[in-house]
Amino acid sequence: MSRDSRYLESILHHDIPLTREMGLKVLDWQDRQLRLHLPLQANINHKSTMFGGSLYCGAVLAGWGWLHLQLREEGIEDGHIVIQEGQISYPLPVTQDATAICQAPEDKVWKRFVTTYKRHGRARLALQTWIVNEGSEERAVVFTGQYVLHR
């Protein structure tokens, strides 16, 4: 596990205690992509699949964590990240441990976000995240979140 992954996991477990109960782990942060691990057992429902609320949390946290680490790399550490809005769909059941993934938006979108934040102290960014069953590439959950960074 990289230093950035350990750092993010400690922030999540400290600042958002629910992440400890969910058993959430940071798998890796590389090539501007964040991957989180969600264990089935800690998030199971009455159908022996992963609880939709846990999946929503995992999707939101993948975007939040991605933004947190990317801002840190840019040297921007004076902002607060909040989720403003989210759209989610659950095309497949999650029947085992899962991976929540968030990767970078287009460069021009990211640059506009950073410029807006530096100029106005507030900016909004849409991030796509998805969740797959372990060992699969098929998207079981698809999420788009509107994140706001403000001073």
Side-chain angles (χ1 to χ4, degrees), residues 32 66 70 74 76 105-119 123-125:
R32 297 182 70 207
W66 184 92
Q70 192 63 45
E74 292 272 342
I76 299 172
E106 291 180 41
D107 276 345
K108 66 180 182 185
V109 171
W110 175 250
K111 286 184 172 78
R112 186 169 53 239
F113 170 79
V114 170
T115 301
T116 301
Y117 179 71
K118 287 179 175 174
R119 187 173 298 146
R124 181 181 297 117
L125 181 68

Short mmCIF file of all heavy atoms in Angstrom, two decimals, residues 32 66 70 74 76 105-119 123-125:
data_model
loop_
_atom_site.label_atom_id
_atom_site.label_comp_id
_atom_site.label_asym_id
_atom_site.label_seq_id
_atom_site.Cartn_x
_atom_site.Cartn_y
_atom_site.Cartn_z
N ARG A 32 -3.78 8.42 -11.60
CA ARG A 32 -4.95 9.28 -11.37
C ARG A 32 -6.24 8.46 -11.26
O ARG A 32 -7.30 8.88 -11.67
CB ARG A 32 -5.06 10.36 -12.45
CG ARG A 32 -3.85 11.31 -12.39
CD ARG A 32 -3.93 12.41 -13.39
NE ARG A 32 -4.99 13.35 -13.03
CZ ARG A 32 -5.64 14.09 -13.91
NH1 ARG A 32 -5.35 14.04 -15.18
NH2 ARG A 32 -6.58 14.93 -13.52
N TRP A 66 -10.85 10.46 -4.29
CA TRP A 66 -10.11 10.84 -5.50
C TRP A 66 -9.83 12.34 -5.47
O TRP A 66 -8.69 12.77 -5.69
CB TRP A 66 -10.92 10.49 -6.77
CG TRP A 66 -10.14 10.78 -8.00
CD1 TRP A 66 -9.33 9.92 -8.68
CD2 TRP A 66 -10.03 12.05 -8.67
NE1 TRP A 66 -8.72 10.59 -9.73
CE2 TRP A 66 -9.14 11.89 -9.74
CE3 TRP A 66 -10.59 13.30 -8.46
CZ2 TRP A 66 -8.80 12.94 -10.60
CZ3 TRP A 66 -10.25 14.35 -9.30
CH2 TRP A 66 -9.37 14.16 -10.37
N GLN A 70 -6.17 14.15 -5.29
CA GLN A 70 -5.76 14.95 -6.45
C GLN A 70 -5.49 16.39 -6.04
O GLN A 70 -4.52 17.00 -6.50
CB GLN A 70 -6.83 14.88 -7.54
CG GLN A 70 -6.38 15.43 -8.87
CD GLN A 70 -5.21 14.67 -9.48
OE1 GLN A 70 -5.19 13.43 -9.50
NE2 GLN A 70 -4.23 15.38 -9.97
N GLU A 74 -1.98 18.70 -6.12
CA GLU A 74 -1.92 20.05 -6.70
C GLU A 74 -1.44 21.08 -5.67
O GLU A 74 -1.27 22.24 -6.00
CB GLU A 74 -3.31 20.48 -7.18
CG GLU A 74 -3.84 19.73 -8.35
CD GLU A 74 -3.44 20.32 -9.70
OE1 GLU A 74 -3.03 21.50 -9.76
OE2 GLU A 74 -3.54 19.58 -10.68
N ILE A 76 -3.29 21.99 -3.08
CA ILE A 76 -4.47 22.71 -2.58
C ILE A 76 -4.98 21.97 -1.35
O ILE A 76 -5.54 20.89 -1.46
CB ILE A 76 -5.57 22.78 -3.67
CG1 ILE A 76 -5.06 23.54 -4.90
CG2 ILE A 76 -6.83 23.44 -3.11
CD1 ILE A 76 -5.99 23.51 -6.09
N PRO A 105 -11.36 13.02 -14.38
CA PRO A 105 -12.13 13.58 -15.48
C PRO A 105 -11.15 14.05 -16.57
O PRO A 105 -9.93 13.96 -16.39
CB PRO A 105 -12.85 14.76 -14.84
CG PRO A 105 -11.93 15.19 -13.73
CD PRO A 105 -11.28 13.92 -13.23
N GLU A 106 -11.68 14.56 -17.67
CA GLU A 106 -10.81 15.10 -18.73
C GLU A 106 -9.94 16.22 -18.15
O GLU A 106 -10.39 16.96 -17.29
CB GLU A 106 -11.66 15.67 -19.87
CG GLU A 106 -12.42 14.65 -20.67
CD GLU A 106 -13.23 15.31 -21.78
OE1 GLU A 106 -12.72 16.26 -22.42
OE2 GLU A 106 -14.38 14.88 -21.99
N ASP A 107 -8.73 16.34 -18.69
CA ASP A 107 -7.79 17.36 -18.21
C ASP A 107 -8.39 18.77 -18.24
O ASP A 107 -8.21 19.53 -17.30
CB ASP A 107 -6.50 17.34 -19.04
CG ASP A 107 -5.52 16.29 -18.55
OD1 ASP A 107 -5.70 15.79 -17.41
OD2 ASP A 107 -4.58 15.98 -19.29
N LYS A 108 -9.08 19.11 -19.33
CA LYS A 108 -9.63 20.48 -19.44
C LYS A 108 -10.68 20.74 -18.35
O LYS A 108 -10.78 21.84 -17.83
CB LYS A 108 -10.18 20.75 -20.83
CG LYS A 108 -11.38 19.93 -21.21
CD LYS A 108 -11.87 20.25 -22.62
CE LYS A 108 -13.10 19.39 -22.90
NZ LYS A 108 -13.59 19.52 -24.24
N VAL A 109 -11.45 19.71 -18.00
CA VAL A 109 -12.46 19.84 -16.94
C VAL A 109 -11.76 20.06 -15.59
O VAL A 109 -12.15 20.93 -14.80
CB VAL A 109 -13.36 18.57 -16.89
CG1 VAL A 109 -14.27 18.59 -15.68
CG2 VAL A 109 -14.17 18.46 -18.18
N TRP A 110 -10.70 19.29 -15.34
CA TRP A 110 -9.95 19.42 -14.10
C TRP A 110 -9.30 20.80 -14.00
O TRP A 110 -9.39 21.46 -12.96
CB TRP A 110 -8.89 18.32 -13.98
CG TRP A 110 -8.03 18.51 -12.77
CD1 TRP A 110 -6.72 18.88 -12.76
CD2 TRP A 110 -8.42 18.38 -11.41
NE1 TRP A 110 -6.27 18.99 -11.45
CE2 TRP A 110 -7.30 18.69 -10.62
CE3 TRP A 110 -9.62 18.04 -10.78
CZ2 TRP A 110 -7.34 18.66 -9.23
CZ3 TRP A 110 -9.65 18.00 -9.39
CH2 TRP A 110 -8.51 18.31 -8.63
N LYS A 111 -8.67 21.26 -15.07
CA LYS A 111 -7.99 22.56 -15.07
C LYS A 111 -8.99 23.69 -14.81
O LYS A 111 -8.71 24.63 -14.06
CB LYS A 111 -7.24 22.77 -16.39
CG LYS A 111 -5.98 21.94 -16.48
CD LYS A 111 -5.22 22.25 -17.77
CE LYS A 111 -3.85 21.58 -17.80
NZ LYS A 111 -3.88 20.17 -18.12
N ARG A 112 -10.18 23.60 -15.42
CA ARG A 112 -11.21 24.63 -15.22
C ARG A 112 -11.67 24.63 -13.75
O ARG A 112 -11.86 25.68 -13.15
CB ARG A 112 -12.39 24.38 -16.16
CG ARG A 112 -13.44 25.47 -16.12
CD ARG A 112 -14.48 25.36 -17.24
NE ARG A 112 -15.09 24.05 -17.31
CZ ARG A 112 -15.05 23.25 -18.39
NH1 ARG A 112 -14.42 23.63 -19.48
NH2 ARG A 112 -15.64 22.07 -18.36
N PHE A 113 -11.82 23.45 -13.16
CA PHE A 113 -12.21 23.32 -11.76
C PHE A 113 -11.19 23.99 -10.84
O PHE A 113 -11.54 24.79 -9.97
CB PHE A 113 -12.35 21.82 -11.42
CG PHE A 113 -12.52 21.55 -9.95
CD1 PHE A 113 -13.75 21.73 -9.34
CD2 PHE A 113 -11.45 21.09 -9.19
CE1 PHE A 113 -13.91 21.46 -7.98
CE2 PHE A 113 -11.61 20.82 -7.84
CZ PHE A 113 -12.84 21.02 -7.23
N VAL A 114 -9.90 23.70 -11.05
CA VAL A 114 -8.83 24.27 -10.22
C VAL A 114 -8.79 25.79 -10.38
O VAL A 114 -8.69 26.53 -9.39
CB VAL A 114 -7.46 23.63 -10.56
CG1 VAL A 114 -6.33 24.39 -9.89
CG2 VAL A 114 -7.46 22.16 -10.15
N THR A 115 -8.88 26.28 -11.61
CA THR A 115 -8.85 27.72 -11.88
C THR A 115 -10.02 28.42 -11.20
O THR A 115 -9.84 29.47 -10.56
CB THR A 115 -8.89 27.99 -13.41
OG1 THR A 115 -7.77 27.35 -14.01
CG2 THR A 115 -8.86 29.47 -13.72
N THR A 116 -11.20 27.83 -11.31
CA THR A 116 -12.40 28.42 -10.69
C THR A 116 -12.24 28.47 -9.17
O THR A 116 -12.54 29.48 -8.54
CB THR A 116 -13.66 27.59 -11.05
OG1 THR A 116 -13.79 27.58 -12.48
CG2 THR A 116 -14.91 28.18 -10.43
N TYR A 117 -11.72 27.39 -8.59
CA TYR A 117 -11.52 27.37 -7.14
C TYR A 117 -10.53 28.44 -6.70
O TYR A 117 -10.78 29.17 -5.74
CB TYR A 117 -11.06 25.99 -6.67
CG TYR A 117 -10.83 25.97 -5.18
CD1 TYR A 117 -11.90 26.04 -4.30
CD2 TYR A 117 -9.54 25.93 -4.65
CE1 TYR A 117 -11.70 26.06 -2.92
CE2 TYR A 117 -9.33 25.95 -3.29
CZ TYR A 117 -10.42 26.02 -2.43
OH TYR A 117 -10.21 26.05 -1.08
N LYS A 118 -9.40 28.53 -7.40
CA LYS A 118 -8.38 29.52 -7.02
C LYS A 118 -8.91 30.95 -7.14
O LYS A 118 -8.58 31.80 -6.33
CB LYS A 118 -7.12 29.33 -7.87
CG LYS A 118 -6.34 28.09 -7.47
CD LYS A 118 -5.10 27.90 -8.33
CE LYS A 118 -4.28 26.72 -7.85
NZ LYS A 118 -3.14 26.42 -8.73
N ARG A 119 -9.75 31.17 -8.14
CA ARG A 119 -10.27 32.52 -8.38
C ARG A 119 -11.42 32.87 -7.43
O ARG A 119 -11.49 33.99 -6.92
CB ARG A 119 -10.74 32.63 -9.83
CG ARG A 119 -11.15 34.03 -10.24
CD ARG A 119 -11.43 34.12 -11.72
NE ARG A 119 -10.24 33.79 -12.49
CZ ARG A 119 -10.24 33.16 -13.68
NH1 ARG A 119 -11.36 32.77 -14.22
NH2 ARG A 119 -9.11 32.92 -14.30
N ALA A 123 -15.77 25.75 -6.20
CA ALA A 123 -15.88 25.17 -7.54
C ALA A 123 -16.62 23.84 -7.45
O ALA A 123 -16.63 23.19 -6.40
CB ALA A 123 -14.49 24.96 -8.15
N ARG A 124 -17.22 23.44 -8.57
CA ARG A 124 -18.01 22.20 -8.63
C ARG A 124 -17.40 21.28 -9.69
O ARG A 124 -16.99 21.73 -10.75
CB ARG A 124 -19.45 22.54 -8.99
CG ARG A 124 -20.36 21.34 -9.06
CD ARG A 124 -21.79 21.69 -9.44
NE ARG A 124 -22.41 22.55 -8.45
CZ ARG A 124 -22.83 23.79 -8.70
NH1 ARG A 124 -22.69 24.34 -9.88
NH2 ARG A 124 -23.40 24.49 -7.75
N LEU A 125 -17.37 19.98 -9.35
CA LEU A 125 -16.79 18.99 -10.27
C LEU A 125 -17.65 17.74 -10.28
O LEU A 125 -18.00 17.21 -9.22
CB LEU A 125 -15.37 18.64 -9.80
CG LEU A 125 -14.59 17.64 -10.64
CD1 LEU A 125 -14.23 18.23 -12.00
CD2 LEU A 125 -13.32 17.21 -9.90
#
